């Protein structure tokens, strides 16, 4: 078989620990034999980030802006332990945070669905994609502990010195206080990323907040979504037969549980934090969650939602056998290759991505899987494989389908 050719390079962001091991195996076994892989390689492994004073992370994000599509391996976000372990010059920031800030993007997470790994909610037959706003609210809050009686006000001072005041509370005794903010520009970007992703994946978009209680703060989110929708997206949604609707967060929660899945649920920052963990758990396993960062101007960065699986890596270093699930990382590659194929009109690349995903699903459904899935499956015939043998099993399924 002749290898599939690419025209534009993918931005390839390599990473750390066990996922770096998976990265190499996936390329060798599942990509390079079939595709003349064209990538612009950036090593986001912690050692090289440290060596370049983290410039490599910024460069990889700028390359994503230039080419439009990136695929990223999980990376270590340094903490005090890592600073010691890797003898770091500084506690470098999270690469995902740096990339997200430069692309001004929104993260969409969706589970990989296979028969035999059943969601806890029986009627969820299609994936539910969650979109979490990544700026502001309690994550950039100012807080005060109120020690004794006193008056608390919101004070906004304009540049010309003029003040606007709003009483929060007259405290009669000790209490607590929090001030949060958001930016119209950030909410607009969030809305555009969500609408674009809905068009892209042909799924309905839901957005929920608590505008009945928060008549200015949450209501502004609701209004901006509605305005952007009507001005820029309503016609495109109608043409595809998909829907945008707003509902209260409590109503959304009830509807999500009753639904069959197959839609995107956009959430404010905190709601998205909580609901994405709820959905990941309810769908079965963190190792089966995919993630894509979409910028408001349509740049894409695909990755797995999980981290570098440190515990498995230390076993691997000791020469012990590991059973690390590569599916979310493989789906990051297929997502990126399919998107590249769409943008460059290389039909075979899209077909290959579909076939590789199907080979992954068929392999698991035939009973061959990694240990994390073997522990939760309800299939009666199960063969628990190590990391390498599982990837080789996927390769056999893939080759049979080509
Ligand atoms: P993690 O890598 O997601 O792993 C947590 C646990 O979940 C693992 O120990 C393992 O459980 C299970 N797991 C996750 N992915 C799996 C897979 N593919 N196959 C099988 N089991 C899997 O989280 P962490 O250990 O808390 O974090 C490790 C490093 O990853 C940290 O340095 C963190 O900064 C980084 N991180 C990076 C990203 C990113 O780049 N996007 C995201 C999150 C975390 P068992 O040990 O029970 O088998
Ligand atoms: Mg969380």
């Amino acid at each position: 078989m002749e290898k599939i050719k690419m025209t534009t390079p993918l931005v390839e962001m390599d990473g750390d620990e066990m996922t770096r091991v998976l990265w190499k195996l996936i390329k060798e076994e599942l990509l390079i034999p079939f595709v003349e892989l064209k990538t612009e390689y950036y090593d986001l492994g912690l050692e090289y980030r440290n060596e370049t004073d983290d410039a490599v992370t910024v460069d990889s994000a700028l390359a994503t802006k230039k080419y439009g599509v990136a695929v990223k391996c999980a990376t270590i976000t340094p903490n005090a332990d890592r600073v010691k372990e890797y003898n770091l010059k500084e506690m470098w920031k999270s690469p995902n945070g740096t990339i997200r800030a430069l692309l001004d993007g929104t993260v969409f997470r969706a589970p990989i669905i296979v028969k035999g790994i059943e969601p806890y909610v029986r009627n969820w037959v299609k994936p539910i994609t969650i979109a979490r706003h990544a700026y502001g609210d309690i994550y950039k809050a100012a807080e005060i502990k109120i020690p004794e009686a006193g008056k608390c006000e919101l004070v906004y001072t304009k540049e010309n010195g003029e003040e606007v005041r709003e009483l929060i509370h007259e405290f009669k005794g000790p209490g607590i206080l929090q001030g949060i903010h958001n930016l119209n520009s950030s909410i607009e970007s969030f809305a555009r990323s969500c609408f674009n992703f809905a068009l892209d994946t042909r799924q309905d978009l839901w957005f929920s907040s608590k505008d009945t209680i928060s008549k200015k703060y949450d209501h502004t989110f609701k209004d901006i979504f509605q305005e952007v929708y009507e001005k820029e997206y309503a016609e495109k949604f109608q043409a595809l037969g998909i829907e945008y609707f707003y509902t209260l967060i409590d109503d959304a929660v009830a509807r999500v549980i009753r639904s069959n899945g197959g839609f995107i649920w956009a959430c404010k920052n905190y709601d998205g934090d909580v609901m994405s963990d709820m959905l990941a758990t309810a769908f079965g396993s963190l190792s089966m969650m995919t993630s894509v960062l979409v910028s408001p101007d349509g740049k894409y960065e695909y990755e797995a939602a999980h981290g570098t699986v440190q515990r498995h890596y230390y076993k691997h270093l000791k020469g012990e056998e590991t059973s690390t699930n590569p599916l979310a990382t493989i789906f990051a590659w297929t997502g990126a290759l399919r998107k590249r194929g769409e943008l460059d009109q290389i039909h075979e690349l899209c077909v290959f991505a579909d076939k590789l995903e199907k080979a992954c699903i068929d392999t698991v459904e035939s009973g061959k899987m990694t240990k994390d899935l073997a522990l939760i499956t309800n299939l009666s015939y199960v063969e628990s494989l190590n990391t390498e043998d599982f990837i080789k099993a996927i390769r056999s399924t893939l080759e049979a389908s080509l």
Side-chain angles (χ1 to χ4, degrees):
M1 196 193 102
E2 218 184 299
K3 287 199 201 182
I4 300 162
K5 292 199 173 51
M6 296 175 63
T7 47
T8 316
L10 268 182
V11 178
E12 176 184 352
M13 305 169 174
D14 206 345
D16 289 300
E17 301 194 311
M18 202 58 210
T19 40
R20 190 178 178 101
V21 177
L22 290 178
W23 198 257
K24 187 161 173 284
L25 281 171
I26 291 167
K27 283 174 70 179
E28 284 171 3
E29 292 288 333
L30 301 175
L31 301 174
I32 290 166
F34 311 101
V35 180
E36 231 163 67
L37 211 54
K38 199 168 177 172
T39 71
E40 196 164 291
Y41 180 86
Y42 292 86
D43 185 359
L44 300 199
L46 187 50
E47 276 151 10
Y48 195 63
R49 272 184 277 150
N50 189 51
E51 214 177 296
T52 60
D53 294 341
D54 210 21
V56 64
T57 308
V58 173
D59 290 345
S60 73
L62 296 177
T64 308
K65 279 191 160 185
K66 177 174 164 194
Y67 293 114
V69 188
V71 56
K72 181 180 171 291
C73 179
T75 46
I76 293 169
T77 298
N79 55 17
D81 290 343
R82 301 297 202 163
V83 171
K84 254 192 246 153
E85 183 184 351
Y86 285 83
N87 193 19
L88 300 180
K89 297 185 223 169
E90 258 181 57
M91 198 185 290
W92 305 111
K93 280 190 274 186
S94 147
N96 289 60
T98 303
I99 296 164
R100 196 164 54 213
L102 281 163
L103 293 178
D104 188 20
T106 298
V107 173
F108 296 83
R109 285 184 164 194
I112 301 165
I113 305 257
V114 294
K115 284 194 210 88
I117 311 295
E118 302 304 330
Y120 288 96
V121 181
R122 286 190 309 272
N123 42 291
W124 286 356
V125 289
K126 286 179 270 182
I128 296 170
T129 302
I130 197 145
R132 172 183 170 189
H133 186 213
Y135 181 85
D137 303 353
I138 59 164
Y139 303 88
K140 277 200 187 297
E143 299 186 322
I144 305 178
K145 279 195 174 191
I146 307 294
E148 57 192 73
K151 184 165 83 171
C152 289
E153 290 176 292
L154 283 177
V155 183
Y156 159 54
T157 315
K158 291 191 190 168
E159 280 181 342
N160 68 10
E162 196 186 314
E163 277 183 3
V164 180
R165 282 171 183 263
E166 171 89 23
L167 176 71
I168 300 171
H169 192 66
E170 297 251 17
F171 283 87
K172 305 275 182 283
I176 42 181
L177 185 72
Q178 182 182 60
I180 61 171
H181 80 280
N182 223 298
L183 308 172
N184 287 13
S185 59
S186 174
I187 301 167
E188 278 165 28
S189 291
F190 175 45
R192 284 200 184 90
S193 294
C194 290
F195 290 126
N196 286 339
F197 196 70
L199 289 173
D200 218 43
T201 58
R202 294 173 178 247
Q203 297 184 90
D204 289 346
L205 175 68
W206 306 10
F207 176 53
S208 58
S209 76
K210 194 71 181 176
D211 66 291
T212 46
I213 300 298
S214 171
K215 290 192 165 59
K216 296 209 171 92
Y217 199 99
D218 279 22
H219 213 292
T220 298
F221 277 81
K222 177 183 176 182
D223 290 344
I224 288 176
F225 264 72
Q226 193 60 34
E227 231 177 270
V228 171
Y229 177 68
E230 280 166 18
K231 262 199 215 139
E232 300 170 34
Y233 292 95
E235 280 173 25
K236 293 177 194 160
F237 269 55
Q238 274 151 24
L240 280 188
I242 57 174
E243 199 187 355
Y244 163 65
F245 79 95
Y246 173 85
T247 187
L248 280 173
I249 179 95
D250 27 4
D251 178 51
V253 168
R255 283 173 188 247
V256 163
I257 297 295
R258 285 196 307 266
S259 78
N260 295 321
F263 56 90
I264 301 161
W265 183 14
C267 290
K268 288 176 59 201
N269 211 348
Y270 173 78
D271 299 340
D273 186 352
V274 177
M275 292 305 161
S276 61
D277 279 14
M278 190 271 286
L279 285 179
T281 309
F283 268 108
S285 171
L286 179 62
S287 60
M288 297 287 273
M289 265 290 179
T290 64
S291 178
V292 55
L293 174 73
V294 182
S295 75
D297 58 345
K299 315 291 185 208
Y300 295 76
E301 180 252 302
Y302 293 84
E303 61 178 284
H306 61 74
T308 60
V309 212
Q310 181 182 17
R311 202 181 63 81
H312 295 209
Y313 182 59
Y314 289 169
K315 276 177 74 177
H316 170 81
L317 286 182
K318 280 194 257 164
E320 289 171 33
E321 192 174 88
T322 60
S323 185
T324 314
N325 188 338
L327 290 191
T329 307
I330 298 173
F331 274 61
W333 275 100
T334 52
L337 289 171
R338 185 185 296 107
K339 178 54 69 184
R340 204 59 274 166
E342 282 167 17
L343 294 174
D344 298 343
Q345 295 176 340
I346 306 172
H347 181 62
E348 310 85 81
L349 204 54
C350 301
V351 173
F352 174 76
D354 292 344
K355 286 193 170 165
L356 178 49
E357 288 183 0
K358 185 160 187 306
C360 290
I361 290 167
D362 288 351
T363 305
V364 174
E365 291 181 352
S366 77
K368 294 182 175 151
M369 58 190 79
T370 42
K371 202 168 139 199
D372 56 310
L373 298 184
L375 287 170
I376 56 172
T377 185
N378 60 8
L379 292 178
S380 48
Y381 169 77
V382 179
E383 196 182 339
S384 182
L385 298 178
N386 67 36
T387 309
E388 238 173 282
D389 288 347
F390 180 58
I391 290 175
K392 289 202 167 118
I394 295 170
R395 180 169 178 172
S396 307
T397 318
L398 174 65
E399 279 173 340
S401 78
L402 289 174

